[in-house]
């Protein structure tokens, strides 16, 4: 287990980063899990950037937690995780400014935790390995065709099961 502290570069006022400072994790190498829960309310933009443009640097990252069940973030409006092909777990709980999420490249993704976020749409690769979905009631359209590992009992909308979801919205489950 490693602990990292996020500090502003020297010469910039303040001991830690301010709300809205962009966070880029460059070439995390052997990091398997990254949990930013304690700073989630301060994030505005989050990018995973491979060192020297080598996507292989991100291959070990399996768990990314950007959300927080007790604190809301109204400013984080961008998440880039395309360089983390083996990501299995993503948490964006309470990130209100995120309205869409492209997870087409995350074919190994098993869990998405996005309760009380601002999501209205999310894109998955057909047949991805999704097993657990916790989504906000703000979802407008969701296509879950060919997700054989996902059962209706593992789909929650703001912690309510699928039967309590507003069925006037579009959900395709195959």
């Amino acid at each position: 287990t490693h602990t990292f502290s996020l500090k502003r570069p020297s010469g910039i006022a303040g001991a830690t980063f301010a709300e809205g400072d962009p966070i880029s994790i460059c070439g995390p190498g052997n990091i398997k899990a990254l949990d930013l829960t304690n700073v989630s309310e301060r994030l505005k933009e989050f990018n995973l950037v491979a060192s020297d443009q080598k996507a292989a640097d991100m291959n070990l990252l399996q768990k990314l937690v950007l959300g927080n069940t007790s604190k809301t973030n109204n400013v984080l409006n961008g998440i880039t995780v395309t360089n983390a092909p083996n990501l299995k777990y993503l948490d964006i709980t309470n990130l209100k400014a995120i309205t869409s999420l492209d997870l087409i490249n995350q074919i190994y993704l098993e869990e998405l935790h996005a309760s009380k976020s601002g999501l209205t749409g999310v894109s998955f690769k057909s047949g991805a390995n999704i097993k657990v979905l916790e989504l906000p009631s703000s979802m407008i359209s969701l296509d879950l065709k060919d997700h054989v590992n996902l059962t209706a009992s593992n789909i929650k909308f703001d912690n309510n099961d699928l039967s309590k979801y507003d069925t006037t919205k579009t959900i395709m489950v195959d």
Side-chain angles (χ1 to χ4, degrees):
T1 301
H2 299 285
T3 302
F4 301 92
S5 60
L6 299 173
K7 294 188 177 183
R8 290 177 146 192
S10 61
I12 298 177
T16 61
F17 68 96
E19 181 174 345
D21 282 352
I23 302 296
S24 292
I25 306 295
C26 299
N30 61 356
I31 296 174
K32 287 186 177 182
L34 185 59
D35 186 338
L36 298 176
T37 301
N38 292 334
V39 295
S40 65
E41 77 278 6
R42 295 176 132 340
L43 298 173
K44 181 176 182 184
E45 182 180 327
F46 181 83
N47 299 298
L48 287 174
V49 181
S51 64
D52 300 325
Q53 305 303 314
K54 294 178 186 173
D57 286 349
M58 308 291 176
N59 281 344
L60 293 179
L61 186 65
Q62 295 178 6
K63 182 175 183 177
L64 178 59
V65 180
L66 299 172
N68 189 319
T69 57
S70 61
K71 295 180 182 175
T72 299
N73 177 314
N74 292 309
V75 295
L76 178 61
N77 57 19
I79 298 174
T80 304
V81 294
T82 54
N83 286 339
N86 292 312
L87 193 64
K88 292 182 177 185
Y89 181 103
L90 178 61
D91 186 329
I92 62 165
T93 302
N94 273 329
L95 300 183
K96 301 292 187 184
I98 300 293
T99 57
S100 65
L101 199 53
D102 180 356
L103 298 172
I104 298 280
N105 292 326
Q106 277 60 51
I107 59 172
Y108 299 109
L109 189 70
E110 295 177 359
E111 297 185 37
L112 173 61
H113 299 269
S115 297
K116 299 183 175 148
S117 69
L119 272 185
T120 57
V122 60
S123 301
F124 299 105
K125 185 171 185 81
S126 180
N129 200 29
I130 301 294
K131 295 176 182 174
V132 175
L133 282 179
E134 293 179 1
L135 300 168
S137 55
S138 58
M139 290 296 294
I140 294 172
S141 180
L142 181 61
D143 184 349
L144 298 174
K145 188 174 183 183
D146 296 327
H147 288 29
V148 296
N149 294 318
L150 183 63
T151 63
S153 63
N154 286 336
I155 303 172
K156 307 276 186 215
F157 290 91
D158 281 335
N159 300 317
N160 293 312
D161 63 28
L162 188 58
S163 66
K164 294 183 178 153
Y165 185 67
D166 178 0
T167 56
T168 61
K169 298 177 182 177
T170 304
I171 300 179
M172 296 175 64
V173 180
D174 186 11

